[in-house]
Amino acid sequence: TDLRESIDDVWDGEETPESYMGSLATVLHDLKVVTARYCFSEYIGPAQDAKALVEEQHRKLKEQFSSARGSYLQEISTLRDQNRVRVDPETYLQRLNGLEDDEQKDRRQFFEPTHSLSDEELDY
């Protein structure tokens, strides 16, 4: 009945098939517009809001992770620098030549912390 009332509202009163089809086309177009607006307001709008919220949370987590990783890598670098310090290389090498224990020989490190950084993070 609502459709019939809508048709009666836009129908100009002429009872020709052309005018009836024109009125029907107008009503169907209005129905499509209302349906599209409803879908947007009920589904797409909230989905866009949720997406924006998730993107903001992701950005904050990336910043937090970058900060934590930077601090961690800085700590590793500091510990390595402390470990590499040798006061007198000649005395150290002479002492090493007399030792048989492999653990007392020169320390080797294979992990390079800065390899996991992106180009933007390397600038920091």
Side-chain angles (χ1 to χ4, degrees), residues 19-31:
S19 66
Y20 185 74
M21 294 304 286
S23 299
L24 184 61
T26 302
V27 170
L28 289 176
H29 173 71
D30 291 344
L31 181 64

Side-chain angles (χ1 to χ4, degrees), residues 3-122:
L3 182 61
R4 181 66 183 166
E5 290 172 9
S6 297
I7 292 172
D8 289 339
D9 290 341
V10 296
W11 189 37
D12 59 6
E14 295 179 26
E15 293 190 17
T16 64
E18 293 81 18
S19 66
Y20 185 74
M21 294 304 286
S23 299
L24 184 61
T26 302
V27 170
L28 289 176
H29 173 71
D30 291 344
L31 181 64
K32 288 192 297 186
V33 170
V34 168
T35 302
R37 293 177 77 185
Y38 174 78
C39 289
F40 183 84
S41 67
E42 291 295 318
Y43 300 103
I44 296 172
Q48 287 177 337
D49 295 341
K51 179 185 176 211
L53 180 65
V54 168
E55 286 175 344
E56 178 66 19
Q57 290 173 341
H58 181 257
R59 186 190 60 75
K60 287 179 182 178
L61 284 174
K62 276 178 65 172
E63 287 176 4
Q64 182 182 2
F65 177 73
S66 293
S67 174
R69 184 170 66 172
S71 299
Y72 173 73
L73 294 174
Q74 186 176 18
E75 184 174 339
I76 288 175
S77 297
T78 302
L79 290 173
R80 281 186 163 188
D81 291 343
Q82 290 172 355
N83 195 16
R84 289 180 184 146
V85 173
R86 298 183 184 103
V87 180
D88 180 13
E90 290 298 322
T91 307
Y92 181 76
L93 290 173
Q94 287 174 0
R95 193 180 82 203
L96 284 179
N97 288 334
L99 296 175
E100 296 295 327
D101 189 8
D102 283 339
E103 291 181 15
Q104 297 298 319
K105 291 191 178 180
D106 197 20
R107 291 185 171 99
R108 295 182 189 124
Q109 298 166 336
F110 299 101
F111 175 71
E112 178 55 48
T114 59
H115 283 263
S116 64
L117 298 175
S118 67
D119 291 337
E120 295 85 25
E121 293 168 329
L122 283 173

